[in-house]
Amino acid sequence: MTRVAVLDDYQGRAREYADWGSLGDDVDVEFFRSPIAEDALAETLAGFEILVLMRERTAFPRRVLERLPALRLVITTGMGNASVDLAYLRERGIPMAGTQGASAGAAGVSSTTEVAWALIFAATKRVTIEDRALRAGVWQRGLPGTLAGATLGLAGLGRLGSEMVGPARAFGMDVIAWSTNLSGERAAEVGVERVTKEELLRRSDVLSIHLVLGGRSRGLFGAADLAQMKRTAVVVNTSRGPIIDEAALVDALTSGTIAAAGLDVYDREPLPADHPLLKVENAVLLPHLGYANEATFRVMYGQVVEDIRAFLSGSPVRVIP
């Protein structure tokens, strides 16, 4: 019997998104809805040969993987997972396979881009602040900002960053962009102004981050960077939490260095119940909803089943190099 653990199934719906039964009677699949603390991972998962991970939710550093003697395959949703020690898996000869999400198609933008705009609207229009105030009997605590004539700054101009441009133009915004590798040709192709990092910080009314987490991007925006921004500025992050220095962001929000933030990602997920961000009124917080939608989950979990079947047949697919 091959035992498969599907982790971080927060909504308890992974079972319905794929034909797990097609794996046969020799494969036993167990679904875990609640997060498992790191000190309990090895004991809980010691007997499982295949782990199915929702990317960057539960971390698997070397110290955990070393204590999983039965492990033969790791599958992550997405084609990369910064929370897994892939180098150690390679040492043990354990492959990590991935999945590909649902495409937005030619007529629309991705779910992550939709979430980024939801956060921009909520932070700029003070949606959560005024909602709470109204429920407490207070009518109009403050004045919302406007997007028309404002400047959207994009940190990163890949697929997701470029998807931000069309909606911004529709709302009458100017768009500027920066990343360490952004070329003038790419900026011209998308129709935005390429700027330096300092200009991005100084000019942005809304700064939206669309970068891959890596050695160069970890901690890319710290206290000194946030201090260069307008006091009316909004920071939105739908990429990965560690790209922004989280403690510096909390300080900037509470001190009034910037006006607001919209966050879908964090250094640690799920966000701990005592996290300082939960007490910051001018932060709009979402539980990593960027890629969380039914269409994407059906594709991802369907491909997870394909990955398992291919591995068990001796012909692994979508292996992450």
Side-chain angles (χ1 to χ4, degrees), residues 108-266:
V109 298
S110 65
S111 177
T112 301
T113 300
E114 291 177 345
V115 169
W117 279 103
L119 289 168
I120 290 172
F121 295 143
T124 303
K125 297 301 182 183
R126 298 168 50 88
V127 170
T128 53
I129 293 174
E130 297 298 342
D131 176 83
R132 288 191 296 265
L134 193 59
R135 294 172 190 275
V138 179
W139 186 263
Q140 290 191 10
R141 280 189 53 188
L143 294 175
T146 57
L147 297 181
T151 296
L152 172 65
L154 299 172
L157 199 60
R159 177 178 63 87
L160 294 176
S162 63
E163 285 185 357
M164 299 291 292
V165 178
R169 298 297 190 202
F171 287 102
M173 301 182 76
D174 295 323
V175 185
I176 60 177
W178 167 86
S179 73
T180 54
N181 296 321
L182 179 60
S183 67
E185 291 76 14
R186 172 60 179 169
E189 175 188 352
V190 179
V192 304
E193 179 186 355
R194 184 180 66 156
V195 297
T196 65
K197 183 182 179 184
E198 291 71 22
E199 288 179 291
L200 181 81
L201 295 166
R202 179 173 50 82
R203 292 173 54 185
S204 293
D205 294 295
V206 177
L207 172 61
S208 190
I209 297 172
H210 303 276
L211 298 167
V212 175
L213 178 62
R216 289 192 301 176
S217 62
R218 186 177 296 272
L220 184 62
F221 296 98
D225 301 293
L226 297 172
Q228 297 180 55
M229 300 189 71
K230 301 175 183 179
R231 295 182 69 85
T232 54
V234 172
V235 173
V236 171
N237 189 5
T238 54
S239 292
R240 290 295 181 267
I243 294 173
I244 304 178
D245 182 325
E246 208 163 67
L249 180 61
V250 171
D251 288 343
L253 290 166
T254 54
S255 67
T257 299
I258 60 173
L263 306 174
D264 191 39
V265 289
Y266 311 92

